[in-house]
Amino acid sequence: MIHIENAFISAEIMETGGTLHSLKWKETGAEYLWQGDPAYWRGQAPNLFPFVGRLFEKAYTLNGKRYDMGIHGFLSRSEMAVESNEMDSCTLVLTDSEETRAVYPYAFAFRLNYRLEEDTVKITFRVENRSEETMYCGMGGHPGFNVPLEEGLSFEDYALTFPEVCSPKLVEFSPGVLDTGARSSYSLEGGNRLPLKHSLFDNDAVVFTDMPREVSLSSEKGSHGVTVAFPQMPYVGFWHKNQSDAPYVCIEPWSVLPGREGIVEELGQMADMTAIPAGEAFENRWSIKIW
């Protein structure tokens, strides 16, 4: 386990997937991050690469060859090497192996950097293409946060709030949680607020596009919350275990969507896929602020 801290917050990161394991406000010791109760969801904050979500038939093609790939790619289940560990930052790296090339035939280095700045965790995904051809990938975050964040409040006291009035589009999924291609208008309370209720997630994740690339989790009855900012990702998903009373919610910034229903996707033709030329690198930065 890797530990980093500054004067305001502390964080713990696991080498498996570079997963954020703990995020605390130091003055009070309050834990903001979901702690992975298996009664609801064992996960906490998986990092998603080189895919987000599911693929039809759990497979894709590349240059006509078919490859198998599970939900959210393989990073979250991979052991990363610790490249650096300072007081308030750390960098982990995953490079291609025989195992990864069997499902994703690229030479690459995926670096994950966490850096604490006052009350905020700055996160950088850096993908280096070491192949001799263009590399296609998707990426995203999946952090879960405790709800409620304070004693005396309930799940329904909280809302997800965008910083301005907006008209997001809801990405519609099939029963298998694959993209149907349909988008529908979604009306937010007051034009920017999505009140939480457990039934919101009865059919799995609620995913938006065409919205501000920042969202906050908070309660008007409380004084603590979380803001996730994702300036380079065009989608955000909200989720907890479907048809449950799970005491957490995930805020998931995504660079791409899951595969389309009924189509085994050709990787380079998937919408929004990041294309990294041979020998080049790409960085995606996002952040988690707590108060």
Side-chain angles (χ1 to χ4, degrees), residues 77-272:
R77 299 179 294 279
S78 300
E79 292 300 312
M80 302 188 76
V82 180
E83 193 168 70
S84 67
N85 185 8
E86 308 297 332
M87 174 70 77
D88 60 358
S89 67
C90 65
T91 300
L92 301 94
V93 61
L94 176 70
T95 55
D96 61 282
S97 63
E98 183 177 349
E99 182 179 4
T100 66
R101 290 190 296 272
V103 296
Y104 186 65
Y106 291 108
F108 68 88
F110 182 98
R111 284 182 170 80
L112 172 57
N113 176 261
Y114 292 96
R115 186 177 77 259
L116 306 184
E117 293 186 2
E118 296 186 342
D119 55 6
T120 301
V121 185
K122 299 289 185 71
I123 304 163
T124 301
F125 296 157
R126 178 180 172 84
V127 187
E128 179 185 343
N129 181 7
R130 296 178 173 178
S131 301
E132 296 181 354
E133 62 180 311
T134 299
M135 174 179 171
Y136 299 97
C137 61
M139 61 198 74
H142 199 308
F145 301 101
N146 291 321
V147 183
L149 286 166
E150 301 171 61
E151 292 186 7
L153 299 182
S154 69
F155 187 88
E156 292 78 8
D157 287 329
Y158 284 77
L160 294 156
T161 306
F162 293 103
E164 59 194 53
V165 171
C166 58
S167 301
K169 294 292 191 298
L170 178 69
V171 178
E172 297 189 16
F173 292 124
S174 69
V177 199
L178 293 165
D179 185 7
T180 65
R183 307 287 183 265
S184 58
S185 297
Y186 196 99
S187 179
L188 297 172
E189 182 179 277
N192 70 333
R193 189 171 181 271
L194 179 63
L196 288 185
K197 55 183 179 179
H198 293 296
S199 61
L200 188 64
F201 310 110
D202 279 354
N203 296 317
D204 213 273
V206 174
V207 177
F208 290 151
T209 188
D210 296 347
M211 73 291 143
R213 297 187 183 186
E214 176 184 304
V215 66
S216 295
L217 168 68
S218 63
S219 169
E220 294 177 347
K221 298 179 181 179
S223 57
H224 298 286
V226 176
T227 298
V228 179
F230 41 97
Q232 295 170 259
M233 304 207 213
Y235 306 101
V236 64
F238 308 118
W239 176 83
H240 77 33
K241 181 178 173 60
N242 62 319
Q243 299 184 4
S244 79
D245 62 349
Y248 69 90
V249 68
C250 291
I251 299 176
E252 307 177 35
W254 295 351
S255 71
V256 294
L257 290 172
R260 290 172 291 173
E261 180 64 53
I263 300 171
V264 176
E265 303 274 8
E266 172 67 21
L267 187 65
Q269 297 177 7
M270 290 184 70
D272 303 302

